[in-house]
């Protein structure tokens, strides 16, 4: 039987972030393809014009692209994956909070990202073995 890479008891924040992200993707996918549609940018933006909405969409896309690049870069530089995910999640949520303000999702991701970083720093497991 396959086991998880990390123990759930000591890495609960990592797995909670994965479960939360899976829920968001599943919810968005179901609403996009089988519901009334979803405008992901509207959850961040209160733009009044199409031009403002496009600019806000570009900001959200920039943040998510940086999240992906930061994840790939840090993992490629041999950082522990939990540290990588914590850093990237913290960057993503913080950048969107700075651009658009707080929301429950962004605050939750920022908190989980910070917890992951603190756990890995306290464990002295920032770099992979």
């Amino acid at each position: 039987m396959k086991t998880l890479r990390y123990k759930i008891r000591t890495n609960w924040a990592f797995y909670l972030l994965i479960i939360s992200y899976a829920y968001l993707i599943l919810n968005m996918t179901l609403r996009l393809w089988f519901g009334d549609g979803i405008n992901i940018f509207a959850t961040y933006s209160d733009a009044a014009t199409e031009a403002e909405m496009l600019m806000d969409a570009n900001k959200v896309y920039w943040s998510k692209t940086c999240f992906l690049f930061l994840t790939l870069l840090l993992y490629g530089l041999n950082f522990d994956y939990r540290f990588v995910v914590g850093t990237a999640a913290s960057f993503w949520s913080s950048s969107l909070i700075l651009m658009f303000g707080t929301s429950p999702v962004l605050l939750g991701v920022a908190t989980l990202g910070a917890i992951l970083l603190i756990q890995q720093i306290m464990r002295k497991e920032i770099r992979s073995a």
Side-chain angles (χ1 to χ4, degrees):
M1 182 173 147
K2 296 279 184 181
T3 61
L4 297 173
R5 176 175 293 273
Y6 309 112
K7 294 179 182 177
I8 291 177
R9 177 189 249 182
T10 56
N11 294 282
W12 58 269
F14 177 72
Y15 289 112
L16 183 58
L17 186 63
I18 291 172
I19 291 167
S20 300
Y21 205 84
Y23 170 77
L24 288 174
I25 291 171
L26 181 63
N27 183 37
M28 183 172 40
T29 301
L30 290 173
R31 288 173 50 196
L32 176 66
W33 296 109
F34 304 110
D36 56 352
I38 183 170
N39 181 350
I40 191 67
F41 304 116
T43 61
Y44 301 107
S45 173
D46 57 356
T49 67
E50 287 184 23
E52 290 172 340
M53 183 61 120
L54 184 58
M55 179 57 87
D56 286 350
N58 285 327
K59 290 176 184 176
V60 172
Y61 181 74
W62 171 84
S63 182
K64 194 57 122 179
T65 302
C66 289
F67 165 83
L68 176 60
F69 177 73
L70 188 58
T71 301
L72 295 171
L73 177 66
L74 293 177
Y75 191 69
L77 293 173
N78 208 30
F79 282 88
D80 182 272
Y81 193 67
R82 295 161 294 182
F83 183 81
V84 168
V85 170
T87 301
S90 295
F91 168 81
W92 174 76
S93 57
S94 298
S95 67
L96 290 176
I97 287 170
L98 288 173
M99 289 186 282
F100 300 108
T102 60
S103 74
V105 169
L106 294 177
L107 289 174
V109 173
T111 302
L112 282 174
I115 289 169
L116 276 171
L117 290 173
I118 291 166
Q119 280 182 340
Q120 293 310 108
I121 290 168
M122 290 178 67
R123 293 176 181 162
K124 297 182 174 131
E125 293 180 357
I126 295 172
R127 305 285 279 184
S128 291

